[in-house]
Amino acid sequence: MTQPLPGRSDLDIRASDTERTAAEERLRAAVETGRLTLAELDARLDEVHAARTRGDLESACRGLPVPGPRDSLVVDRPATSRSFVAGVFGGFERAGTWVVPARMTTWSMWGGGRLDLRKARFTSHDTVIRAFALWGGTAIVVPEDIDVDIRGIGLFGVFDKRAKNHIPKPGTPRVVIKGLALFGAVVTKTKR
């Protein structure tokens, strides 16, 4: 970490590109949570782009909290997974930090799959996951702080609808899980 010279504060150090990007994310998160209007965002982004020091960046983000680890669930980045994933005589897994596409289809046939959304980010506030399990199984793990709507059906199989749907914070994504379990299972669990 860069140490300031004696008599100078951290705020006098020149801003890096990484710090500018972090300030932009902080402003966008403030818009998503209703703390800033779009007009205010434009003016503050101009301040970020003109900033020369860390103090200038702090001034552009004045009055806004530093986002926590899950404050910015919807991101302005492309999905890091394909829209179609399959486990046929095998399996698939999406876990850790990844970006979920707005529409995703999973197919488990004589195999299995697992989607873990706890550390995921989303490309849209409304995400639809179509899960099909034919003689196979799919497990979907969702965090407690998103809105989950499970609409699938089980035909000689199980489409589990027991995921706990807590009252989400305003601005959090909504995930609709629908599809079919035929001689198979689609199980959705809520975990921290």
Side-chain angles (χ1 to χ4, degrees):
M1 172 144 178
T2 306
Q3 295 294 322
L5 295 173
R8 295 184 65 191
S9 74
D10 266 355
L11 299 178
D12 293 331
I13 295 174
R14 289 179 79 68
S16 69
D17 289 341
T18 303
E19 291 165 331
R20 274 189 187 74
T21 301
E24 289 173 355
E25 291 285 329
R26 188 171 169 188
L27 293 174
R28 287 189 176 95
V31 170
E32 290 172 5
T33 58
R35 288 188 170 97
L36 281 182
T37 65
L38 288 176
E40 291 172 310
L41 174 67
D42 285 341
R44 293 211 189 188
L45 283 175
D46 289 342
E47 288 180 48
V48 167
H49 295 284
R52 296 183 60 193
T53 65
R54 289 178 177 172
D56 295 338
L57 290 178
E58 278 301 313
S59 176
C61 296
R62 66 195 169 277
L64 301 175
V66 176
R70 291 194 53 84
D71 281 345
S72 184
L73 291 175
V74 179
V75 294
D76 188 20
R77 293 191 303 248
T80 57
S81 176
R82 293 183 180 180
S83 297
F84 180 79
V85 291
V88 180
F89 294 107
F92 64 85
E93 181 175 23
R94 298 293 183 273
T97 304
W98 62 295
V99 181
V100 183
R103 303 284 176 263
M104 186 173 198
T105 301
T106 68
W107 185 270
S108 299
M109 187 169 182
W110 291 297
R114 183 172 181 266
L115 297 179
D116 189 337
L117 304 177
R118 289 178 292 175
K119 292 183 181 178
R121 297 295 179 258
F122 301 85
T123 58
S124 172
H125 280 284
D126 292 306
T127 301
V128 175
I129 298 174
R130 292 179 298 268
F132 298 96
L134 305 164
W135 295 280
T138 300
I140 303 171
V141 181
V142 296
E144 295 176 329
D145 57 351
I146 63 171
D147 185 15
V148 180
D149 184 7
I150 303 171
R151 301 182 185 170
I153 59 170
L155 184 60
F156 300 108
V158 175
F159 208 105
D160 190 6
K161 299 179 183 182
R162 291 180 290 160
K164 294 178 185 170
N165 195 356
H166 298 276
I167 299 172
K169 295 185 297 185
T172 58
R174 178 172 184 260
V175 177
V176 176
I177 301 170
K178 57 185 180 178
L180 172 69
L182 178 65
F183 295 106
V186 175
V187 178
T188 305
K189 297 177 184 177
T190 303
K191 289 188 180 178
R192 286 182 171 232

